[in-house]
Amino acid sequence: ALNVTPADQVLVETVVVDDDGGSKPGNSIDWNELGNAYPRNGAYDDAIHAYKQSIRLNPRYGSPYSNLGFVYFHKGEYQIAVSLYKKSLQLLESAEDKATCWNRLGDTYRRMRDYNNAMKAYEKAGNADPVTTPLLARARVALMSNAAD
């Protein structure tokens, strides 16, 4: 089971609420898609704003939490990324989206040198969507096993 701590929840709420809002797209899916365009250009702050807007409009939509975690991962703010990925995993519905999020969580734990949790996350990724992720997940688990030897 996923261990979502009260600290994770507080961190997610703090990160999501600290923005002034603004206006542009009218729904959470559009804000999420807008957020997806920014990291490719290194515009992390703009991406963060867009994902927060998406979450504000629909707090039960899991994708922007995962995407926001991805941005914080790239900014080196790993604990924030972990908390956002955990929140996303509670909300995501498709196996493919969950597998992607589990892989991102594994990458984050690995960057934090928490190899035990990284391995667990990669294994969950493979189990979440055995059709599209088994090769990648198995490769990561094998690499983690080799690193542990």
Side-chain angles (χ1 to χ4, degrees):
L2 184 65
N3 181 22
V4 179
T5 67
D8 290 323
Q9 188 59 35
V10 168
L11 193 51
V12 168
E13 289 172 7
T14 302
V15 167
V16 170
V17 173
D18 75 349
D19 209 338
D20 67 354
S23 61
K24 296 280 185 289
N27 67 58
S28 67
I29 294 171
D30 289 346
W31 275 106
N32 185 62
E33 290 304 314
L34 179 63
N36 289 342
Y38 288 123
R40 295 180 203 123
N41 303 316
Y44 295 130
D45 291 338
D46 291 331
I48 288 169
H49 173 76
Y51 293 136
K52 287 179 180 181
Q53 283 299 104
S54 178
I55 291 166
R56 256 188 226 95
L57 289 168
N58 184 359
R60 304 290 308 154
Y61 178 36
S63 293
Y65 291 98
S66 179
N67 294 334
L68 187 56
F70 188 70
V71 171
Y72 279 106
F73 170 85
H74 283 284
K75 290 183 70 154
E77 297 187 46
Y78 304 126
Q79 192 55 57
I80 293 173
V82 166
S83 295
L84 288 163
Y85 291 144
K86 287 178 179 180
K87 177 67 175 180
S88 180
L89 285 163
Q90 293 178 315
L91 300 172
L92 289 170
E93 295 179 12
S94 86
E96 185 176 354
D97 289 345
K98 285 183 179 184
T100 297
C101 193
W102 278 116
N103 273 314
R104 288 177 173 182
L105 183 59
D107 290 344
T108 306
Y109 279 133
R110 191 174 65 181
R111 191 66 63 93
M112 296 168 73
R113 299 184 191 280
D114 183 348
Y115 300 116
N116 186 39
N117 279 323
M119 187 115 90
K120 289 177 185 175
Y122 292 141
E123 288 171 351
K124 295 243 186 196
N127 294 336
D129 188 10
V131 174
T132 58
T133 63
L135 183 60
L136 179 59
R138 279 196 310 261
R140 286 183 166 151
V141 168
L143 287 171
M144 296 296 299
S145 296
N146 291 340
D149 291 341

